[in-house]
Amino acid sequence: MVGGSERHELIEDERRRVSEHLQMGTEMMVYQQRAERLTVQVIMESMQVALIRSDDSRIVRLLDIFEFKEVRQWETCKDFQRFNESRGKLQDSKTCFTIFYGSEFILKSLSLKADSVEDAEKWLTGLELLRQETLAAHTPEIIESWLRKQMYSVDQSKKNRFSFSLSPFSQPVSLFNTDSPESSVVPLYDFQNFLLYRQKEAKNLNQIQELMTIFIDDTMRKTNYPVLTVGEFLSFLFSKENSIWNEKFSEICPLDMNNPLSHYWINSSHNTYLTGDQLRSDSSTEAYVRCLRLGCRCIELDCWNGPEEPVIYHGRTMTSKIKFKDVVKAINDHAFATSEYPVVLSIEEHCDIKQQKMMAQMLRDAFQDKLLTEPLEPEADDLPSPNQLKGKIIIKVGKKVKFRFYRHDCVISDNKLYYSEEKLEEDYPELHLSEPWFHGELAEGRITAEKLLHDFCKGRDGKDGTFLVRESKAFIRNYSISLWTSGRIQHYKIFCSSENGQWSFYLTIKQRFPSMCALIKYYTQNLITYDRLNLRLNGFLPRLNFVPSHQIGWFYSNLSQAEAEDYLLRIPRDGAFLIRQREEPNHFTLSIRVEGDVEHYLIYQNNSKYVLADAYEFGNLEDLVSCFRDKVFYGKTKLRYPVTPQLVDRFCMVREVAKDNPLGDQCKGVVDISKCTVGEIVLPLTFHFIYYSILHFYDLSENYNYKEVRSIPDNMVPKEGNESTVEKSDSILEYNRKALTRVYPCSGRVDSSNFDPCPSWRLGCQMVALNFQTADKFMQLNSALFSLNGGTGYVLKPEWMRDPTKKKPAKQTIRIRVMAARHLPSPDHIVSPFVQVELWPYTGVKNVGFFAEDNGLNPVWLGQMNPPKCFKVDEPDLAFLRFVVFEEDTFSDAKLLAQATFPIRGIRQGYRSVPLKNRFSENLELSSLLVHVQQVEVRDLFYIYINVKRANKKSFESFLFETYSQTVYSD
């Protein structure tokens, strides 16, 4: 049996062989603009992958392993797909792999094909090992690699001048008592004291020796009593090993993963499929992969009917479409690559029943036992914990389910409910669905309505009263009418309610109508006197795709007379009608139910007119139907009930009913009540409603259970201010202790901008969904929060949020001084960096900054002109410190060069390095600030201040400044 040490040696030996193989280089097919054969080789000194032409050994391209995010064996990459289309199918997909790299949300890719599976496996294994080594490399190793890169770059260009300086100080800061700082050294015990008293770090001598050895250049000085030169000490100060961030907060704490899901903030994405804005950008399965690998645990799928199968895109926009099954496959492949904890799929459902069934089957087939299909503990009082749901995928379906209820005569006998045919209302309330002025649910609601009306009316000198009616996005069976008046657009709510089975529509409660059509007709003839409005409806904006008669529910292009009569006789109301195409060209038949029988009337087309019964002429079939909806067609009968295929389906169901039932011949069906659950409605995706039932968060009642998810736009989250807001905030916080809330960007954010997530987090809202593709400060705050707990996507909320009996932690004051910077990213010119320090959530303290003119290489901020800056932290559990480096420009807005954002709870004190990131929160190689940090609880600071005031009677501000000055300049 092979022992542990031998096994380790075998592993190391294999790693060495793989590394040597990569350094020797391998000829492969490389897919870029075109497919070509190149030598692919790893350059270990600079940690780069080089693409080299075999004939002249010229380097075509260099890739930094530092930027590698994933190496994937994947034959369906877009580069391979493009090659397949032009050259035929690849012989062996196992020889193909793709490198994904970059420092933005959308990654670049390089696709490669090795000559053998063995070669491909070595490169897959080797590149992943090198990627991990690069992430774990110590700062001196990174510096050496970076210097090599600069040298190789100069050697290739033959013309670039190369100069650098890693020390930001012309003279080092005197942190120790020395007469000659330039020649001084830092012995072991001085370094120990520095860590203990300045950095507040208690380490034993072995740990300190190990740390110092990392930064010593000379091997001869790596002894039991190491000594750092000033240059090595400065290298340590700016290093990631001396980071302001305490890495213990980035570790997973398994014991913290046993609380109910409602006790966590959950990393959540909005419009996960998009790569840009909500109007024209591309949808991509890679956006899902990127979000999942960034630790996102709640992703969104907007599902719509496709030609043959469901698709995902931002509905009713120009965003591109991707197949639902491709997205599900990508999710299955990458859901647990970064985190083993549960993934929630937030599905916005817009598909018909047929494609919903397809979706359900695709989910089952792809996820199999990963899919949560039944509660873990049906009788539990709380949601399960992340530990209980490891490796599980939960479906949350978000759709306003608009069930329509109809009246029946019913009798209950012997646990059975017998019912008659449905009884249609005399005034059918949904006639408006086929009206040209009714636009249904518009994407982006009033914003889209305003754009449509503005474009329609402005170019035509639009008349006051031009209107459209749309469905409310917020409320079921509620509508809005948008009006053009005096060059402006006004929106008014049309209310809809039902009492005793009778529907009513109204603008004001004093004037009610049995249908929407009746309301619109009334206000075309009478003034609307409401909310200072005084006009009639005067023309409408027709909805798109309204004109073609073959798309209208009551028109049938292939229906016989016998079938038409069968359809109409099943509808138990006079006035049911349809129009069907006849075999003769330009001939149609109007079939209508009158006095229990069916009558047929000929319609033929004469030039551009439609002639009915040789008595009436109309411009089109829609005008014909519209006319006889308003006026009597035959006797007392109007065209009242369009016989659509959906209506026919409802009435064509065959039901086996015993003849001796209580309703006799009127009985059309029977339900066994003993097998029913009251109030349960089953949909094709219902088996996924395990823990999540979607409710809109417009009213918080006391009656709720842990299975609910409240879903609200960000503009409805209560903001701080008045007493009612405080009261509402308390009730929301209480709700979120038990159940879940998802907050998403409001409809006006068509540019995919994000909102400040802090107010939602403060209320305990778990799933605060942001646009991951948008690199703004709010996404940076999100990245900072979810860097906690190992990037698992689940962060346990503070104890006071989970338990109302617990108190908030003491307030703090944090003092920051930015001292210097190193290796700032810069364009091809000299920059004047400006460093801004911010505290989030914003507490009224003005952001403070430090400016260095024409020095982007190694700026220094020292002296009395740059005193420390103080921030009061009211809620340390939910506060963030943000450093932003701008390029100051006199003639334009400041340009962001770098940023770093940290939760206050993980900030370390002392002289610390701030590793900088780009706007996408990706690490910038070697780029860092040097700052001094001091944190003091407010109560401790108060007692110190009282003592100083008694002794010296100095001001509080003077006390703060002088105390900090002594810390920096003394000793």
Side-chain angles (χ1 to χ4, degrees):
M1 183 175 177
V2 179
S5 60
E6 292 178 88
R7 188 183 301 113
H8 179 73
E9 289 176 7
L10 287 173
I11 292 172
E12 285 300 315
D13 188 53
E14 179 63 25
R15 289 165 65 102
R16 181 182 55 78
R17 286 201 298 269
V18 169
S19 177
E20 288 175 355
H21 181 80
L22 270 59
Q23 291 180 69
M24 290 176 62
T26 307
E27 278 200 3
M28 300 187 202
M29 288 299 296
V30 180
Y31 301 94
Q32 301 181 95
Q33 297 298 324
R34 59 191 177 90
E36 59 180 326
R37 195 164 180 81
L38 299 172
T39 297
V40 184
Q41 181 180 1
V42 169
I43 304 173
M44 292 297 293
E45 293 88 348
S46 60
M47 293 303 285
Q48 291 175 301
V49 172
L51 306 182
I52 306 169
R53 292 200 190 280
S54 302
D55 52 357
D56 59 4
S57 298
R58 184 168 65 88
I59 295 177
V60 176
R61 193 172 175 189
L62 283 169
L63 303 180
D64 284 348
I65 297 176
F66 176 78
E67 289 193 342
F68 283 16
K69 297 297 183 291
E70 180 192 0
V71 185
R72 189 188 312 168
Q73 191 174 36
W74 190 32
E75 74 279 8
T76 57
C77 180
K78 61 183 180 181
D79 297 323
F80 296 131
Q81 288 176 332
R82 185 168 62 244
F83 179 75
N84 289 349
E85 292 168 3
S86 60
R87 302 285 186 87
K89 191 172 178 64
L90 293 169
Q91 295 299 314
D92 190 349
S93 63
K94 292 183 179 179
T95 63
C96 303
F97 61 95
T98 302
I99 300 170
F100 291 87
Y101 66 98
S103 57
E104 298 187 359
F105 178 75
I106 302 301
L107 298 177
K108 302 171 187 175
S109 65
L110 178 69
S111 297
L112 304 155
K113 181 181 182 298
D115 291 340
S116 67
V117 175
E118 182 183 5
D119 268 349
E121 289 291 342
K122 284 182 178 178
W123 276 88
L124 279 165
T125 303
L127 288 177
E128 181 57 28
L129 287 173
L130 290 175
R131 191 180 74 85
Q132 295 293 342
E133 286 179 10
T134 303
L135 292 174
H138 292 301
T139 299
E141 296 172 314
I142 299 172
I143 292 173
E144 184 178 354
S145 173
W146 180 83
L147 289 172
R148 296 279 185 181
K149 273 188 280 192
Q150 307 310 309
M151 293 175 184
Y152 292 150
S153 174
V154 171
D155 184 58
Q156 285 186 62
S157 65
K158 304 293 185 182
K159 60 184 179 181
N160 294 333
R161 296 185 62 189
F162 177 61
S163 63
F164 66 94
S165 171
L166 293 178
S167 173
F169 300 110
S170 56
Q171 290 186 345
V173 177
S174 179
L175 299 176
F176 303 94
N177 288 325
T178 58
D179 296 328
S180 178
E182 294 173 343
S183 61
S184 65
V185 293
V186 184
L188 173 65
Y189 290 104
D190 282 355
F191 191 67
Q192 183 183 33
N193 289 334
F194 170 77
L195 293 178
L196 181 62
Y197 296 111
R198 298 299 183 90
Q199 308 295 81
K200 311 300 181 187
E201 289 184 63
K203 293 179 181 288
N204 61 43
L205 279 179
N206 287 335
Q207 292 173 320
I208 296 172
Q209 288 169 352
E210 189 175 320
L211 179 61
M212 293 178 73
T213 301
I214 292 172
F215 293 90
I216 294 176
D217 293 332
D218 185 359
T219 308
M220 300 296 292
R221 290 191 287 114
K222 293 183 179 181
T223 65
N224 290 334
Y225 296 94
V227 175
L228 293 175
T229 67
V230 169
E232 291 165 347
F233 178 67
L234 286 173
S235 183
F236 162 75
L237 287 180
F238 278 94
S239 71
K240 65 179 184 179
E241 289 80 3
N242 185 45
S243 173
I244 191 174
W245 179 245
N246 190 338
E247 287 296 333
K248 78 174 185 180
F249 287 91
S250 293
E251 297 171 0
I252 300 174
C253 184
L255 294 178
D256 282 349
M257 302 301 277
N258 294 320
N259 288 52
L261 284 182
S262 58
H263 288 186
Y264 297 85
W265 288 307
I266 303 173
N267 200 358
S268 303
S269 164
H270 175 251
N271 287 348
T272 312
Y273 48 91
L274 289 181
T275 58
D277 64 53
Q278 299 180 15
L279 298 177
R280 297 174 180 270
S281 68
D282 289 332
S283 303
S284 171
T285 55
E286 283 302 315
Y288 284 95
V289 175
R290 187 78 166 114
C291 286
L292 288 167
R293 286 183 167 269
L294 286 170
C296 184
R297 297 290 86 189
C298 178
I299 55 180
E300 185 177 26
L301 296 80
D302 282 354
C303 304
W304 298 80
N305 279 347
E308 297 177 356
E309 57 183 297
V311 296
I312 290 177
Y313 79 115
H314 200 254
R316 304 185 183 97
T317 67
M318 296 177 68
T319 56
S320 62
K321 300 175 182 178
I322 50 179
K323 293 181 179 179
F324 178 80
K325 68 179 180 183
D326 291 343
V327 170
V328 170
K329 181 182 184 304
I331 294 170
N332 185 60
D333 292 343
H334 299 271
F336 304 107
T338 297
S339 169
E340 61 184 341
Y341 294 100
V343 174
V344 178
L345 306 190
S346 179
I347 296 180
E348 288 293 329
E349 179 57 69
H350 304 279
C351 296
D352 58 24
I353 296 297
K354 179 181 178 182
Q355 295 208 4
Q356 281 186 41
K357 291 179 179 178
M358 295 172 67
M359 289 171 58
Q361 191 59 48
M362 289 174 186
L363 292 168
R364 292 189 189 98
D365 293 343
F367 299 141
Q368 298 183 15
D369 60 348
K370 296 177 189 173
L371 190 65
L372 188 70
T373 57
E374 58 184 22
L376 300 181
E377 299 175 0
E379 304 303 320
D381 294 328
D382 290 299
L383 288 164
S385 70
N387 268 336
Q388 290 176 289
L389 293 168
K390 273 184 183 178
K392 289 296 183 181
I393 292 176
I394 306 171
I395 307 298
K396 177 180 78 68
V397 181
K399 181 178 181 178
K400 294 177 287 187
V401 185
K402 302 177 184 180
F403 297 104
R404 297 170 187 165
F405 296 93
Y406 299 88
R407 300 179 66 195
H408 298 258
D409 291 328
C410 301
V411 173
I412 296 177
S413 175
D414 298 327
N415 283 331
K416 289 184 172 59
L417 184 148
Y418 299 88
Y419 60 93
S420 69
E421 196 65 89
E422 67 183 52
K423 304 169 77 65
L424 297 181
E425 292 91 341
E426 287 297 325
D427 290 289
Y428 190 57
E430 294 177 344
L431 294 173
H432 60 270
L433 297 178
S434 57
E435 291 293 341
W437 41 257
F438 182 71
H439 288 241
E441 184 177 319
L442 292 175
E444 311 305 332
R446 70 162 57 197
I447 294 175
T448 303
E450 288 180 359
K451 185 178 186 306
L452 290 172
L453 272 173
H454 184 272
D455 293 346
F456 182 76
C457 294
K458 189 174 182 181
R460 306 174 179 222
D461 296 325
K463 297 175 290 185
D464 284 358
T466 302
F467 73 97
L468 65 82
V469 177
R470 57 188 170 85
E471 199 167 349
S472 170
K473 291 178 70 67
F475 299 94
I476 297 172
R477 275 197 180 276
N478 272 262
Y479 308 89
S480 295
I481 183 168
S482 301
L483 291 160
W484 176 271
T485 171
S486 302
R488 298 175 60 234
I489 296 166
Q490 303 282 356
H491 305 273
Y492 297 95
K493 188 173 179 180
I494 298 177
F495 298 91
C496 176
S497 62
S498 174
E499 291 184 19
N500 300 322
Q502 299 297 316
W503 289 97
S504 62
F505 295 78
Y506 54 93
L507 283 170
T508 65
I509 200 167
K510 295 180 181 179
Q511 191 76 43
R512 293 174 177 260
F513 303 90
S515 68
M516 178 83 75
C517 294
L519 181 149
I520 296 299
K521 180 181 177 182
Y522 177 84
Y523 287 118
T524 57
Q525 300 169 358
N526 300 275
L527 291 173
I528 301 175
T529 54
Y530 172 67
D531 190 27
R532 293 178 293 181
L533 189 66
N534 193 21
L535 57 75
R536 291 187 181 88
L537 299 182
N538 185 12
F540 57 83
L541 167 61
R543 75 172 183 262
L544 296 175
N545 304 322
F546 177 78
V547 176
S549 59
H550 63 275
Q551 294 182 4
I552 299 173
W554 41 256
F555 184 87
Y556 294 82
S557 59
N558 187 20
L559 192 70
S560 68
Q561 179 172 323
E563 289 173 322
E565 290 178 352
D566 180 58
Y567 285 2
L568 289 164
L569 288 173
R570 292 179 181 273
I571 310 302
R573 276 292 178 270
D574 288 347
F577 74 96
L578 59 84
I579 295 177
R580 56 190 174 86
Q581 180 92 46
R582 295 168 66 100
E583 292 183 2
E584 306 96 311
N586 300 323
H587 283 67
F588 312 87
T589 297
L590 169 64
S591 301
I592 180 172
R593 177 165 173 155
V594 180
E595 297 177 358
D597 203 356
V598 177
E599 301 287 346
H600 305 279
Y601 298 90
L602 175 66
I603 305 171
Y604 62 90
Q605 194 169 0
N606 182 20
N607 296 323
S608 61
K609 299 292 185 181
Y610 288 82
V611 182
L612 171 62
D614 289 325
Y616 303 96
E617 288 187 353
F618 300 94
N620 52 53
L621 295 177
E622 291 81 10
D623 290 345
L624 183 155
V625 171
S626 181
C627 173
F628 291 109
R629 280 182 174 176
D630 294 334
K631 60 189 291 187
V632 171
F633 175 72
Y634 182 97
K636 296 182 179 181
T637 304
K638 300 178 182 179
L639 303 185
R640 302 181 66 181
Y641 310 116
V643 179
T644 64
Q646 293 78 14
L647 192 63
V648 171
D649 288 343
R650 278 211 309 273
F651 285 96
C652 289
M653 296 172 61
V654 178
R655 306 174 179 91
E656 296 293 333
V657 182
K659 293 184 178 180
D660 58 347
N661 69 81
L663 288 174
D665 293 338
Q666 294 183 30
C667 185
K668 297 299 179 183
V670 60
V671 176
D672 189 342
I673 299 175
S674 64
K675 298 179 180 179
C676 293
T677 301
V678 177
E680 182 177 8
I681 301 173
V682 181
L683 291 174
L685 286 173
T686 308
F687 76 100
H688 300 297
F689 276 84
I690 305 306
Y691 291 107
Y692 297 139
S693 170
I694 310 304
L695 297 172
H696 283 270
F697 204 137
Y698 297 100
D699 183 31
L700 268 176
S701 64
E702 295 181 2
N703 299 318
Y704 59 84
N705 63 64
Y706 71 89
K707 297 181 181 180
E708 297 177 359
V709 177
R710 303 280 173 143
S711 186
I712 59 170
D714 68 274
N715 56 3
M716 294 195 67
V717 175
K719 304 297 189 293
E720 293 184 356
N722 53 48
E723 293 182 4
S724 62
T725 298
V726 173
E727 184 177 343
K728 190 172 184 180
S729 298
D730 290 342
S731 66
I732 295 173
L733 186 60
E734 178 61 34
Y735 169 90
N736 285 327
R737 291 190 175 106
K738 193 80 172 176
L740 299 176
T741 298
R742 180 176 182 267
V743 183
Y744 56 90
C746 65
S747 59
R749 298 182 182 274
V750 294
D751 58 349
S752 291
S753 60
N754 285 311
F755 58 95
D756 183 359
C758 294
S760 302
W761 288 334
R762 191 187 292 115
L763 293 174
C765 299
Q766 296 85 358
M767 295 180 284
V768 182
L770 299 181
N771 294 297
F772 273 51
Q773 72 273 25
T774 303
D776 56 18
K777 61 185 172 185
F778 300 127
M779 191 60 218
Q780 292 155 14
L781 291 173
N782 190 79
S783 298
L785 176 66
F786 291 103
S787 66
L788 298 166
N789 199 28
T792 59
Y794 287 85
V795 173
L796 189 64
K797 291 187 282 189
E799 195 173 22
W800 62 268
M801 280 190 175
R802 296 177 273 130
D803 184 349
T805 64
K806 302 296 182 181
K807 293 182 178 180
K808 292 183 179 181
K811 296 180 180 181
Q812 294 180 358
T813 292
I814 184 167
R815 287 181 282 178
I816 302 290
R817 184 175 187 187
V818 178
M819 302 175 68
R822 182 181 73 174
H823 206 84
L824 295 179
S826 62
D828 298 329
H829 60 270
I830 298 174
V831 299
S832 298
F834 176 80
V835 181
Q836 185 168 285
V837 185
E838 304 171 350
L839 180 71
W840 284 86
Y842 182 66
T843 58
V845 178
K846 186 177 180 181
N847 297 335
V848 295
F850 304 83
F851 175 69
E853 187 173 359
D854 294 339
N855 185 359
L857 181 63
N858 55 359
V860 178
W861 296 277
L862 290 176
Q864 297 289 344
M865 296 302 295
N866 288 295
K869 313 296 181 182
C870 295
F871 295 92
K872 293 181 180 178
V873 184
D874 292 336
E875 294 179 351
D877 287 327
L878 187 54
F880 300 87
L881 194 62
R882 185 166 180 262
F883 300 87
V884 192
V885 183
F886 294 104
E887 176 189 357
E888 187 71 13
D889 192 329
T890 307
F891 303 102
S892 62
D893 293 337
K895 177 184 176 183
L896 187 142
L897 296 176
Q899 60 85 29
T901 309
F902 306 98
I904 288 288
R905 68 173 88 173
I907 294 293
R908 297 200 293 177
Q909 298 194 69
Y911 295 92
R912 295 295 179 182
S913 167
V914 178
L916 294 172
K917 301 174 183 288
N918 69 3
R919 60 195 182 98
F920 288 94
S921 295
E922 295 287 343
N923 291 325
L924 294 170
E925 198 171 24
L926 292 176
S927 185
S928 62
L929 301 174
L930 180 63
V931 301
H932 185 269
V933 184
Q934 187 173 1
Q935 290 173 282
V936 183
E937 285 193 4
V938 170
R939 58 189 177 191
D940 296 337
L941 196 64
F942 176 75
Y943 290 126
I944 294 171
Y945 163 61
I946 292 297
N947 291 333
V948 171
K949 187 176 180 182
R950 287 173 178 170
N952 303 319
K953 300 188 182 300
K954 295 180 180 179
S955 68
F956 187 51
E957 290 78 7
S958 175
F959 160 70
L960 286 176
F961 178 73
E962 291 186 14
T963 302
Y964 189 90
S965 299
Q966 291 167 10
T967 302
V968 174
Y969 297 110
S970 65
D971 199 7

Coordinates of all heavy atoms in Angstrom, one line a residue, residues 12 15 19 44 47 65 126-138 141-142 240:
E12 N 3.4 15.1 -6.9 CA 4.4 16.1 -7.3 C 5.2 15.7 -8.5 O 5.4 16.6 -9.4 CB 5.4 16.4 -6.1 CG 4.8 17.1 -4.9 CD 4.3 18.5 -5.4 OE1 5.0 19.2 -6.1 OE2 3.2 18.9 -5.0
R15 N 2.9 16.3 -11.5 CA 2.8 17.7 -11.7 C 4.0 18.3 -12.5 O 3.9 19.1 -13.4 CB 2.6 18.5 -10.4 CG 1.3 18.3 -9.7 CD 1.3 18.8 -8.3 NE 1.6 20.2 -8.1 CZ 0.7 21.1 -7.9 NH1 -0.6 20.7 -7.7 NH2 1.0 22.4 -7.8
S19 N 4.1 19.9 -16.1 CA 4.6 21.2 -16.3 C 5.7 21.3 -17.4 O 5.8 22.2 -18.2 CB 5.2 21.7 -15.0 OG 5.8 23.0 -15.1
M44 N 7.1 29.8 -18.1 CA 7.0 29.8 -16.7 C 7.5 31.1 -16.0 O 6.9 31.5 -15.0 CB 7.7 28.6 -16.1 CG 7.1 27.3 -16.5 SD 5.4 27.0 -15.9 CE 5.8 26.9 -14.1
M47 N 4.7 33.4 -16.5 CA 3.4 32.8 -16.3 C 2.5 33.3 -17.4 O 1.4 33.9 -17.2 CB 2.8 33.2 -14.9 CG 3.6 32.6 -13.8 SD 3.8 30.8 -13.9 CE 2.1 30.3 -13.4
I65 N -1.7 34.0 -17.7 CA -2.4 33.0 -16.9 C -3.1 33.6 -15.7 O -4.1 33.1 -15.2 CB -1.4 31.9 -16.4 CG1 -0.8 31.2 -17.6 CG2 -2.1 30.9 -15.4 CD1 0.2 30.1 -17.3
G126 N -2.7 20.7 -16.7 CA -1.6 21.6 -16.4 C -2.0 23.0 -16.3 O -1.6 23.8 -15.4
L127 N -2.9 23.5 -17.2 CA -3.3 24.9 -17.2 C -4.1 25.2 -15.9 O -4.0 26.3 -15.3 CB -4.2 25.2 -18.4 CG -3.4 25.4 -19.7 CD1 -4.3 25.6 -20.9 CD2 -2.3 26.5 -19.6
E128 N -4.9 24.2 -15.5 CA -5.7 24.4 -14.2 C -4.7 24.5 -13.0 O -4.9 25.3 -12.1 CB -6.7 23.3 -14.0 CG -7.6 23.4 -12.8 CD -8.3 24.7 -12.7 OE1 -8.7 25.3 -13.7 OE2 -8.6 25.2 -11.5
L129 N -3.7 23.6 -13.0 CA -2.7 23.7 -11.9 C -2.0 25.0 -11.9 O -1.8 25.6 -10.8 CB -1.7 22.6 -12.1 CG -2.2 21.1 -11.8 CD1 -1.1 20.1 -12.1 CD2 -2.5 21.0 -10.3
L130 N -1.6 25.5 -13.1 CA -0.9 26.8 -13.2 C -1.8 28.0 -12.7 O -1.4 28.9 -12.1 CB -0.4 27.0 -14.6 CG 0.8 26.1 -15.0 CD1 1.1 26.3 -16.5 CD2 2.0 26.3 -14.1
R131 N -3.1 27.9 -13.1 CA -4.0 28.9 -12.7 C -4.1 29.0 -11.2 O -4.1 30.1 -10.6 CB -5.4 28.6 -13.3 CG -6.4 29.8 -13.2 CD -7.7 29.4 -13.8 NE -8.4 28.5 -13.0 CZ -9.2 28.8 -12.0 NH1 -9.4 30.1 -11.7 NH2 -9.9 27.9 -11.3
Q132 N -4.2 27.8 -10.5 CA -4.3 27.8 -9.1 C -3.0 28.3 -8.5 O -3.0 29.0 -7.4 CB -4.6 26.3 -8.6 CG -5.9 25.8 -9.1 CD -7.1 26.5 -8.4 OE1 -6.9 27.2 -7.4 NE2 -8.3 26.4 -9.0
E133 N -1.9 27.9 -9.0 CA -0.6 28.4 -8.5 C -0.5 29.9 -8.6 O 0.1 30.5 -7.7 CB 0.6 27.7 -9.2 CG 0.8 26.2 -8.9 CD 1.9 25.6 -9.7 OE1 2.6 26.4 -10.4 OE2 2.0 24.4 -9.6
T134 N -0.9 30.4 -9.7 CA -0.9 31.9 -9.9 C -1.7 32.6 -8.8 O -1.3 33.6 -8.3 CB -1.4 32.3 -11.3 OG1 -0.6 31.6 -12.3 CG2 -1.3 33.8 -11.5
L135 N -2.9 32.1 -8.5 CA -3.7 32.7 -7.5 C -3.1 32.6 -6.1 O -3.2 33.5 -5.3 CB -5.1 32.0 -7.5 CG -6.0 32.2 -8.7 CD1 -7.3 31.3 -8.6 CD2 -6.4 33.6 -8.9
A136 N -2.3 31.5 -5.9 CA -1.7 31.3 -4.5 C -0.3 31.9 -4.4 O 0.3 31.9 -3.4 CB -1.7 29.9 -4.2
A137 N 0.2 32.5 -5.5 CA 1.6 32.9 -5.5 C 1.8 34.1 -4.5 O 0.9 34.9 -4.3 CB 2.0 33.4 -6.9
H138 N 3.0 34.1 -3.9 CA 3.3 35.2 -3.0 C 3.7 36.5 -3.8 O 4.1 36.4 -5.0 CB 4.5 34.8 -2.1 CG 4.1 33.8 -1.1 ND1 3.0 33.9 -0.2 CD2 4.6 32.5 -0.9 CE1 2.9 32.8 0.6 NE2 3.8 31.9 0.2
E141 N 7.0 36.6 -5.9 CA 6.9 35.8 -7.1 C 6.1 36.6 -8.2 O 6.5 36.5 -9.3 CB 6.2 34.5 -6.8 CG 7.0 33.6 -5.8 CD 6.2 32.4 -5.4 OE1 5.0 32.5 -5.0 OE2 6.8 31.3 -5.4
I142 N 5.1 37.2 -7.8 CA 4.3 38.0 -8.7 C 5.1 39.2 -9.3 O 5.0 39.5 -10.5 CB 3.0 38.5 -8.0 CG1 2.1 37.4 -7.5 CG2 2.2 39.4 -9.0 CD1 0.9 37.8 -6.7
K240 N -0.1 41.6 -0.7 CA -1.4 41.1 -0.4 C -1.3 40.3 0.9 O -2.3 40.1 1.6 CB -1.9 40.2 -1.5 CG -1.0 38.9 -1.7 CD -1.7 38.1 -2.9 CE -0.9 36.8 -3.1 NZ -1.5 35.9 -4.1

